[in-house]
Amino acid sequence: MFLVDTNVISELRKGQRADSGVSRLLRGAQQHIFLAVETIGELRQGVESLKHRGDFPQAQMLEAWLNEVLRVFASRTLVFDLPCAEIWGALMGPSDQNPIDKQIAAIALHYDLTVVTRNTTHFQGTGVRLMNPFLADASPARPIL
């Protein structure tokens, strides 16, 4: 079972141009893929940043895609709760870098999930299992979103 980081789920917006390793993983393990509420927050931040810059057409496209992500992952979005907060506090003790990524790591540790990300260095030292689907071999794949 997998907890997908923002950079991985965002790759699917590229449609047919998405990285084949990402598309293959997300298509093949679809029911075993989870998102953290932090990822939803980062996606929302992207929409709001576009609005703030005045790029309303792009913001509308991203918001429509975000709404589809919310629909698809409605029952597979995990929250940052008290047990996760305890784990996160322990992870932050040695280094306070990447606090959102460490919240994602805490959720993954609590639920025994593998974090799927391009940014594996952000999760080093947390004890979480990691997978970088961008390193997978290339072959055509159909995106799921």
Side-chain angles (χ1 to χ4, degrees):
M1 304 240 274
F2 305 101
L3 185 60
V4 175
D5 196 10
T6 308
N7 56 62
V8 174
I9 197 71
S10 295
E11 184 70 14
L12 293 181
R13 285 195 65 236
K14 295 179 181 178
Q16 294 296 329
R17 295 175 296 127
D19 180 85
S20 62
V22 171
S23 295
R24 193 170 37 260
L25 171 73
L26 295 181
R27 186 185 72 247
Q30 192 169 5
Q31 294 307 309
H32 301 286
I33 302 289
F34 294 84
L35 296 180
V37 293
E38 288 78 0
T39 294
I40 302 303
E42 288 180 326
L43 294 174
R44 170 56 61 191
Q45 179 186 14
V47 170
E48 298 306 320
S49 293
L50 288 167
K51 287 179 183 178
H52 182 73
R53 290 195 321 247
D55 190 350
F56 297 107
Q58 188 65 25
Q60 278 186 310
M61 287 178 20
L62 184 57
E63 184 148 27
W65 179 79
L66 173 55
N67 288 334
E68 180 65 8
V69 169
L70 291 170
R71 185 190 66 73
V72 169
F73 287 94
S75 65
R76 292 179 284 133
T77 301
L78 302 174
V79 299
F80 184 79
D81 59 9
L82 183 58
C84 295
E86 290 282 342
I87 296 167
W88 177 77
L91 294 176
M92 290 297 289
S95 168
D96 62 0
Q97 290 183 315
N98 307 311
I100 292 176
D101 288 334
K102 286 190 179 169
Q103 287 180 356
I104 292 169
I107 292 170
L109 290 167
H110 179 66
Y111 290 99
D112 194 27
L113 302 172
T114 298
V115 172
V116 181
T117 184
R118 174 178 261 164
N119 300 328
T120 56
T121 57
H122 293 189
F123 295 88
Q124 287 179 341
T126 64
V128 73
R129 290 183 308 274
L130 294 169
M131 174 189 289
N132 182 347
F134 291 92
L135 299 178
D137 62 353
S139 66
R142 182 178 51 84
I144 62 169
L145 288 177

